[in-house]
């Protein structure tokens, strides 16, 4: 009798039909490569993954990655991804986007998705600028940064995404750098394996419009938490390390805890995945609803 052998997946198996249109050297390439490698290492098959994005350079991601994909509205990717995960908890749902999309326009969803501990892997390509619209200040731009929209220098303090997601309830909070591929792959693997909201902020330099936060800027400053003896179960220490910004900036796993994910607590899902449940409406009612939504 013939036996089935598991097919070994390679990073190239996650290559999308479209080649990225990012500028040469854009930090987003590092994250794309790392996600492809992490999925291959974990043997997560493309049809088991949904990739959801908002709007921005980095939000073109689902077109470049081979899996199910949705390119949604600006700042709304987490809301759409929450719906998809609750409808089908068997899916691995990865959300990709930038700092403007996630921390600015989608800031409300960012807070509440963490609070609800929705089982998502949220990868934020943080380049501290709006790239797609050719270089305006973003919620994570440093004070004093000169951009098209702040010719005299940015006067607004930046968001603190790592500290914010820890305080709001995310159960894995980490930071990577697209120039440090090995660490990034490891952090993505931990996020994909985790049950709950895993938020990974990734320094992803915009080589075209951000001349302040360059690859060299990060290489000179980054200290890896795993090389400092950091304890990711210590929430106070995690917040303290998250607030460090200057000559030293930390990357790595800041915080990890285990709490039930939203879909594990939802009574409607006690009867199983909604896809396998009786919808309790007739076929014609179902068709009418779909027609109204199209
Ligand atoms: Fe990347 Fe910036 Fe080019 Fe957008 S504009 S693709 S963020 S380098």
């Amino acid at each position: 009798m013939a036996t089935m052998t598991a097919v070994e997946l390679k990073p190239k198996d996650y290559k999308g039909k479209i080649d990225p249109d990012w500028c040469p050297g854009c930090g987003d390439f590092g994250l794309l490569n790392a996600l492809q490698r992490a999925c291959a290492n974990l043997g997560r098959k493309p049809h088991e993954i949904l990739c959801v994005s908002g709007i921005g350079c980095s939000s073109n991601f689902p077109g470049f990655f081979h899996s199910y994909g949705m390119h949604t509205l600006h700042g709304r990717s987490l809301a759409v991804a929450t719906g998809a995960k609750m409808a089908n908890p068997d899916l691995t749902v990865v959300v990709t986007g930038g700092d403007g999309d996630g921390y600015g326009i989608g800031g409300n969803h960012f807070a509440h998705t963490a609070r609800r501990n929705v089982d998502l892997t949220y990868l934020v390509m943080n380049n501290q600028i709006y790239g797609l619209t050719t270089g305006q200040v973003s919620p994570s731009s440093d004070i004093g940064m000169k951009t098209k929209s702040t010719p005299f220098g940015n006067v607004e303090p930046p968001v603190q995404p790592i500290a914010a997601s820890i305080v709001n309830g995310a159960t894995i909070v980490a930071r990577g750098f697209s120039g440090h591929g090995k660490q990034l792959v490891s952090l993505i693997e931990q996020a994909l394996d985790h049950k709950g909201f895993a938020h990974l902020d990734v320094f992803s330099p915009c080589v075209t419009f951000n001349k302040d936060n360059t690859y060299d800027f990060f290489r000179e400053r980054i200290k890896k938490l795993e090389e400092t003896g950091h304890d990711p179960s210590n929430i106070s220490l995690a917040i303290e390390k998250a607030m460090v910004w200057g000559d030293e900036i930390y990357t790595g796993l800041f915080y990890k805890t285990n709490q039930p994910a939203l879909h594990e607590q939802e009574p409607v899902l006690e009867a199983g995945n909604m896809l396998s449940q009786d919808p309790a409406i007739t076929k014609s009612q179902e068709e009418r609803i779909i027609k109204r939504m199209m």
Side-chain angles (χ1 to χ4, degrees):
M1 195 171 77
T3 52
M4 296 266 290
T5 50
V7 180
E8 196 191 328
L9 288 156
K10 302 250 167 33
K12 68 176 173 50
D13 295 320
Y14 301 87
K15 189 177 173 324
K17 284 191 180 146
I18 304 166
D19 286 332
D21 57 357
W22 295 320
C23 308
C26 174
D28 298 352
F29 283 103
L31 195 273
L32 178 61
N33 292 339
L35 180 62
Q36 290 171 336
R37 193 161 290 281
C39 288
N41 290 349
L42 295 178
R44 213 61 64 96
K45 299 181 185 74
H47 73 270
E48 296 169 340
I49 305 167
L50 168 68
C51 182
V52 184
S53 73
I55 298 294
C57 291
S58 51
S59 284
N60 291 331
F61 202 99
F64 313 142
F65 184 75
H66 180 49
S67 69
Y68 289 112
M70 281 186 81
H71 195 176
T72 70
L73 301 175
H74 208 0
R76 308 299 166 222
S77 55
L78 286 170
V80 173
T82 298
K85 184 70 193 184
M86 295 305 281
N88 184 2
D90 295 337
L91 269 179
T92 293
V93 183
V94 178
V95 186
T96 54
D99 43 301
D101 184 76
Y103 303 151
I105 289 104
N108 175 25
H109 298 299
F110 176 50
H112 291 287
T113 311
R115 176 179 65 81
R116 292 173 174 141
N117 196 28
V118 187
D119 184 20
L120 307 172
T121 294
Y122 187 31
L123 305 174
V124 182
M125 286 155 269
N126 184 354
N127 56 20
Q128 299 162 270
I129 202 155
Y130 278 92
L132 188 71
T133 49
T134 72
Q136 295 80 18
V137 72
S138 92
S140 56
S141 301
D142 282 328
I143 288 182
M145 187 174 174
K146 290 190 177 168
T147 69
K148 274 186 184 166
S149 57
T150 52
F152 305 111
N154 179 29
V155 295
E156 298 177 6
V159 289
Q160 301 291 344
I162 299 288
S165 63
I166 293 171
V167 170
N168 283 326
T171 44
I172 275 198
V173 184
R175 182 191 273 148
F177 169 45
S178 60
H180 290 165
K182 206 169 154 198
Q183 182 198 42
L184 193 51
V185 172
S186 161
L187 292 173
I188 296 173
E189 284 175 6
Q190 291 176 67
L192 290 170
D193 261 348
H194 178 71
K195 208 168 264 189
F197 187 58
H199 166 224
L200 179 48
D201 183 68
V202 183
F203 294 134
S204 184
C206 171
V207 292
T208 305
F209 295 112
N210 188 339
K211 303 299 181 193
D212 293 359
N213 308 112
T214 61
Y215 285 95
D216 284 345
F217 172 92
F218 290 114
R219 284 203 179 100
E220 285 160 15
R221 291 168 172 78
I222 281 177
K223 289 241 168 331
K224 294 180 182 166
L225 285 171
E226 57 270 31
E227 293 169 3
T228 68
H230 175 68
D231 172 9
S233 68
N234 185 329
I235 191 166
S236 311
L237 205 57
I239 294 170
E240 198 180 297
K241 291 267 164 69
M243 299 302 290
V244 174
W245 185 270
D247 293 340
E248 288 187 353
I249 300 171
Y250 290 105
T251 59
L253 180 63
F254 283 77
Y255 182 61
K256 181 175 179 182
T257 185
N258 287 311
Q259 300 290 335
L262 183 66
H263 71 273
E264 294 175 314
Q265 302 188 85
E266 173 52 58
V268 171
L269 293 174
E270 276 169 19
N273 188 317
M274 283 176 77
L275 296 179
S276 59
Q277 289 186 40
D278 180 356
I281 55 171
T282 65
K283 192 77 194 154
S284 65
Q285 284 173 319
E286 185 185 316
E287 281 165 5
R288 272 213 306 280
I289 291 169
I290 291 172
K291 204 168 158 197
R292 225 184 298 150
M293 290 170 74
M294 299 303 277

